[in-house]
Amino acid sequence: MRPNIRKIMVSTSGGDAPGLNAVIRALVKRAILGYGWEVVGSTAAYNGVMADPMDLIPLDMERVSGLLIQGGTILGTTNRGGPFEFPVQGTDGQWTTEDRSEDLIKRIRSLEVDAVVSIGGEGSQAISQKLFEKGLPIVGVPKTIDNDLSATDMTFGFQTAVETATEAVDKLHTTAASHNRVMILEVMGRDAGWIALASGIAGGADVILIPEIPYDIAKVVERVTTRQRGGIKFSIVVVAEGAYPKEGVPFAQESNIVGRRQPILGGVGRWLVKQIQEATGHETRVTVLGHLQRGGVPCPPDRILATQFGVAAADLVAQGKFGHMVALQNQNIVGVPLTEAIRQYKYVNLDHHLVHTARGLGVCLGD
Ligand code: F6P
């Protein structure tokens, strides 16, 4: 049976990604034009609902006009905590976390919100599933530049990040060739190598290192040296921030931010500079691309995917398909159970066609 919806709430959580605003725009347009609903946004994930007084943004046609191409999220976001590990400051000034999920649901009900659309990555979808189990009518939209969410062939934000990283590889190529240097580009991606693999192939990298293939530094050195001996005196290495040497561990710092679960990754590029330079005597430099990959205008494929997801999320709500996430599967937009979306982390499968392509080109993957 179709639910009786009058008002929905939308939130964005986790690291931002190009296309978040495009999803908000499409969702609001579909909600208003297709179904006649009222839409409200919670600021900084659910923090807006948890604040006293609440910090909410009414979303109408005028508010979402022009959002298609705007990077970031007009609602704001956070990757700390969440309703089940909500950061709270004690009377002694110390921060801890506590489960405030019941309070959150009560507050959402007090707003007479009939359904929630949560746009977020893997962690956010796991929170949505728990809220759904507690009775909150909720629908998910998969976001992340890392493309590491199962059950969808792609998340929005990924293609823009790949475009940014590829542009960086292209620029490093010309300076690498001019100076006869080894140029390393460290890209994001958390524990998955999707950005590194895609931008490495698109940019014609000689070495691509991803977390799924712990690398042997001797193989990397061999590739650089072979190129030099063959007369090509520069090399391009694209390394995922989560990549690590065989018998080593990822370069990660535990975060001391209360409510933040994920460690802060980074540093593998600098370490590689030392290793390659010492072994080859060749001048080596690193560029850490960092948050540039998360910023800016979404590329057209991300705008399209984000728009498809926004419309489909409203349709899932209208159909009463709560506890589901919109997803891209075989070029179709479908609804999948949140349980399926969070069942496993989407690593690069070593049988994936991109791995096959890289190997076919003779790219060194560190093994
Ligand atoms: O998940 C997106 C992402 O950009 C990862 O690629 C990266 O490891 C992480 O977020 C960085 O998080 P923060 O913005 O908190 O440093």
Side-chain angles (χ1 to χ4, degrees), residues 198-225:
S199 62
I201 291 173
D206 308 297
V207 179
I208 302 173
L209 304 176
I210 60 174
E212 292 83 351
I213 306 177
Y215 62 85
D216 180 348
I217 190 66
K219 301 279 182 189
V220 178
V221 167
E222 187 185 303
R223 174 53 49 91
V224 170
T225 314

Side-chain angles (χ1 to χ4, degrees), residues 329-363:
Q329 288 187 351
N330 301 321
Q331 304 194 34
N332 283 321
I333 304 294
V334 296
V336 293
L338 282 167
T339 45
E340 203 183 303
I342 60 174
R343 195 164 40 87
Q344 57 184 29
Y345 187 78
K346 192 171 85 182
Y347 293 102
V348 174
N349 180 338
L350 298 192
D351 295 328
H352 194 275
H353 57 87
L354 281 179
V355 175
H356 177 73
T357 299
R359 290 200 195 283
L361 289 170
V363 173

Side-chain angles (χ1 to χ4, degrees), residues 145-165:
I145 64 162
D146 304 333
N147 198 31
D148 57 357
L149 241 158
S150 284
T152 184
D153 294 345
M154 202 175 284
T155 53
F156 73 86
F158 170 65
Q159 294 174 96
T160 308
V162 170
E163 194 175 285
T164 302

